[in-house]
Amino acid sequence: MTKITVAKGDGIGPEIMDATLQIILAAGAQIEIEEIEVGEKVYLAGNTSGIAKESWDIIRRNKIFLKAPITTPQGGGYKSLNVTTRKFLGLYSNVRPCMSLHPFVKTKHPVMDVVIIRENEEDLYAGIEHQQTDEVVQCLKLISRPGCEKIVRYAFEYAKQYNRKKVTCFTKDNIMKQTDGLFHQVFDEIAKEYPQIENEHWIIDIGAAKLADTPEAFDVIVMPNLYGDVLSDVAAQITGSVGLAGSSNIGEECAMFEAIHGSAPRRAGQNVANPSGLLQGAVMMLNHIGQTAIAEKVQNAWLKTIEDGIHTYDIYKEGISKKQVGTKEFANAIIDNLGKQPKELKAVSYAGGSALKLPKYKRKDAAVKELIGVDIFVHWAGTDPDELASLIKKMEYKDIQLSMITNRGIKVYPDGFPETFCTDHWRCRFKPTERKFIYKADIIQLLTNALTENIDTIKTENLYAFDGKAAFSLGQGQ
């Protein structure tokens, strides 16, 4: 018997959760349910995170969390409970299987069977943003080696356990050579440990186009957070409906299972919602806690029900579907099919499956880190880079000289183009001309000189070499 935490959520959440629990319990799931309140009521009671401390304690104690969709009120500084839960509990891996159910659910891709594995904690979703000038705001994209190693290894272990043949990596490392470049580098390193599994890398834009056009070319796809968020919804939709897809969020200690769709408040209380997405999350939960025979029974009964043409309104199609039913009736039909298998759709077999046990990340030996320059960002309302350079040169200290100015990443000094449009946000790079390294005291002196010259510095970024290799971007055009 496994004790799980359940949150029924908002909108259609209570209806689809009741249906999901009814199905898995009828199938023999060995679970004990502890329910908590999260979402809109908690938000509106004054808790901007949508969850009480006592609920956190329950989730952490039980470690398995089955959550229905919630409604986050607009405005008011309310935080996304999904994002908060993933970060606080270290749920680094988001897994979303996307399989077409042709010909019973309409799709242009009848043989699609793709699993999207998305890094879940970092990237732009770190949410670190600042307005720095009148015209420019920034969002920091954070990619860590531990984050890359954990998610890439999870993708290969998932492929190994579920007999998948290929793992594909999507990045944009032709542009973001440091951040996405690290993700790609780690993918290549770990792929060598799994010679029995084919591996490949695609640039995200052409990879996304290929996924939308020819999804049968892919098996398991692993991606950084933002790309995975977007493309997992795309993948789910082109199978036939986002409403049919579930997802798991896996960490080293805890795990959360859910549908990928929202709370659909306009459909609440009408007994029309399709519980399939949450049910798919529950099947993943059963597999995770080792109750694979129950998961298999539920999944095959669900496939049989879809195959029988018993459909909720969202997937009902004249000439394909045989009977339109409500939430409760759909759940009852699945229960009636427990123990049966589909005939046309491929039956599943989860025998021997269990939670993936990955080794904990081990920090590698530190590289030799050397400070070789500094980028100083300046707020300046002028438009002529040469005029700015003459001002910035007054900051120079000893042999630490201005080497470049960029605007929005484009080099505008020296030898910039007059056609380049410039905002009021300038990156001014200082590097030594007579020595290899600089000191942090040198940077302080540069900033002191800027203060003396009334230059508005807004941030600095130290330029480092690790083991002798420069670890920072150049200006485009350099």
Side-chain angles (χ1 to χ4, degrees):
M1 186 72 68
T2 301
K3 196 168 188 178
I4 70 168
T5 306
V6 165
K8 293 189 174 180
D10 304 310
I12 62 172
E15 298 166 78
I16 63 173
M17 180 62 80
D18 287 345
T20 295
L21 294 175
Q22 181 188 0
I23 293 165
I24 66 174
L25 289 170
Q30 298 297 300
I31 57 173
E32 181 183 343
I33 295 166
E34 188 167 6
E35 188 175 341
I36 61 172
E37 182 82 57
V38 300
E40 192 170 31
K41 289 181 182 178
V42 181
Y43 282 121
L44 296 180
N47 187 324
T48 57
S49 64
I51 183 171
K53 180 184 180 301
E54 296 76 18
S55 297
W56 277 126
D57 294 340
I58 292 170
I59 292 171
R60 293 174 64 205
R61 181 173 67 245
N62 295 335
K63 300 190 183 303
I64 304 298
F65 184 23
L66 181 63
K67 184 184 72 64
I70 66 165
T71 299
T72 304
Q74 297 297 309
Y78 299 111
K79 301 173 185 176
S80 166
L81 179 59
N82 277 351
V83 173
T84 301
T85 303
R86 291 165 182 164
K87 290 184 178 180
F88 277 13
L89 298 182
L91 308 182
Y92 66 89
S93 178
N94 180 250
V95 183
R96 295 188 180 184
C98 301
M99 182 181 69
S100 61
L101 300 169
H102 177 81
F104 306 102
V105 176
K106 186 178 180 181
T107 175
K108 297 177 181 177
H109 304 287
V111 294
M112 179 177 178
D113 185 5
V114 175
V115 178
I116 306 291
I117 296 184
R118 160 195 171 196
E119 197 289 318
N120 222 11
E121 296 181 283
E122 48 189 40
D123 193 7
L124 292 169
Y125 284 38
I128 303 173
E129 298 183 289
H130 309 88
Q131 180 167 353
Q132 297 191 314
T133 70
D134 292 321
E135 296 178 343
V136 175
V137 295
Q138 75 165 12
C139 180
L140 295 182
K141 180 183 175 89
L142 299 179
I143 300 288
S144 72
R145 174 168 277 276
C148 295
E149 287 198 13
K150 288 196 295 183
I151 193 62
V152 171
R153 190 173 301 283
Y154 189 95
F156 278 97
E157 285 292 327
Y158 183 97
K160 181 179 175 182
Q161 179 164 336
Y162 288 94
N163 296 314
R164 298 277 177 161
K165 306 303 181 186
K166 181 171 68 173
V167 178
T168 303
C169 174
F170 283 0
T171 73
K172 189 67 176 173
D173 65 334
N174 59 328
I175 301 298
M176 288 166 281
K177 301 179 187 299
Q178 296 294 316
T179 50
D180 283 29
L182 176 60
F183 197 97
H184 187 179
Q185 175 188 335
V186 169
F187 177 82
D188 287 346
E189 291 172 2
I190 291 179
K192 293 176 183 177
E193 301 176 25
Y194 298 85
Q196 75 279 21
I197 299 173
E198 184 183 350
N199 72 85
E200 63 180 4
H201 171 268
W202 289 69
I203 297 299
I204 181 66
D205 42 12
I206 189 61
K210 183 73 171 177
L211 175 65
D213 178 69
T214 319
E216 59 270 22
F218 300 104
D219 196 350
V220 175
I221 308 177
V222 63
M223 287 178 271
N225 203 336
L226 177 61
Y227 311 144
D229 190 8
V230 174
L231 289 188
S232 58
D233 277 7
V234 171
Q237 183 62 31
I238 64 177
T239 63
S241 172
V242 168
L244 299 177
S247 92
S248 63
N249 303 269
I250 309 297
E252 293 178 350
E253 297 291 334
C254 301
M256 177 174 70
F257 303 86
E258 58 190 341
I260 73 171
H261 60 74
S263 59
R266 290 183 297 175
R267 300 293 184 183
Q270 300 171 36
N271 189 41
V272 297
N274 189 339
S276 293
L278 187 59
L279 183 64
Q280 292 302 293
V283 167
M284 299 172 80
M285 177 191 75
L286 291 169
N287 274 321
H288 183 78
I289 62 178
Q291 297 185 28
T292 54
I294 307 302
E296 186 177 311
K297 184 189 293 186
V298 170
Q299 184 71 355
N300 284 327
W302 176 73
L303 291 170
K304 178 71 164 63
T305 304
I306 296 292
E307 190 177 86
D308 288 345
I310 301 173
H311 297 166
T312 48
Y313 83 98
D314 55 316
I315 59 172
Y316 182 87
K317 297 290 182 185
E318 289 286 349
I320 298 176
S321 305
K322 294 179 181 176
K323 185 178 182 181
Q324 182 172 329
V325 295
T327 310
K328 295 176 181 177
E329 294 76 19
F330 186 69
N332 289 334
I334 295 174
I335 292 170
D336 289 342
N337 280 326
L338 289 170
K340 301 176 184 177
Q341 293 198 346
K343 295 179 180 179
E344 292 187 54
L345 295 173
K346 183 180 179 182
V348 300
S349 175
Y350 301 135
S354 61
L356 292 178
K357 298 294 185 182
L358 273 65
K360 288 187 178 293
Y361 175 79
K362 293 182 180 179
R363 182 163 290 161
K364 294 173 174 54
D365 293 339
V368 176
K369 178 180 173 183
E370 299 162 323
L371 182 61
I372 60 175
V374 63
D375 283 341
I376 298 179
F377 291 76
V378 170
H379 182 183
W380 185 66
T383 58
D384 182 353
D386 291 331
E387 180 183 347
L388 175 61
S390 64
L391 179 63
I392 296 299
K393 281 180 173 293
K394 296 178 181 179
M395 295 170 53
E396 294 178 340
Y397 173 65
K398 295 183 177 178
D399 71 323
I400 305 174
Q401 306 291 310
L402 176 68
S403 66
M404 177 182 72
I405 298 175
T406 70
N407 194 289
R408 295 188 296 173
I410 303 296
K411 189 180 74 141
V412 293
Y413 173 88
D415 304 321
F417 290 0
E419 294 87 354
T420 303
F421 179 82
C422 295
T423 69
D424 58 0
H425 185 275
W426 309 80
R427 174 177 63 164
C428 304
R429 175 162 293 176
F430 290 85
K431 299 186 77 175
T433 58
E434 299 176 5
R435 49 188 163 137
K436 188 175 180 182
F437 315 119
I438 68 171
Y439 301 97
K440 290 183 179 178
D442 296 330
I443 298 173
I444 293 173
Q445 186 59 54
L446 291 172
L447 295 174
T448 300
N449 294 346
L451 189 63
T452 300
E453 297 297 333
N454 201 30
I455 296 170
D456 185 6
T457 59
I458 51 179
K459 66 172 287 191
T460 64
E461 290 288 349
N462 294 351
L463 305 179
Y464 289 108
F466 287 82
D467 287 340
K469 182 180 178 181
F472 48 87
S473 64
L474 301 174
Q476 292 182 34
Q478 183 169 330

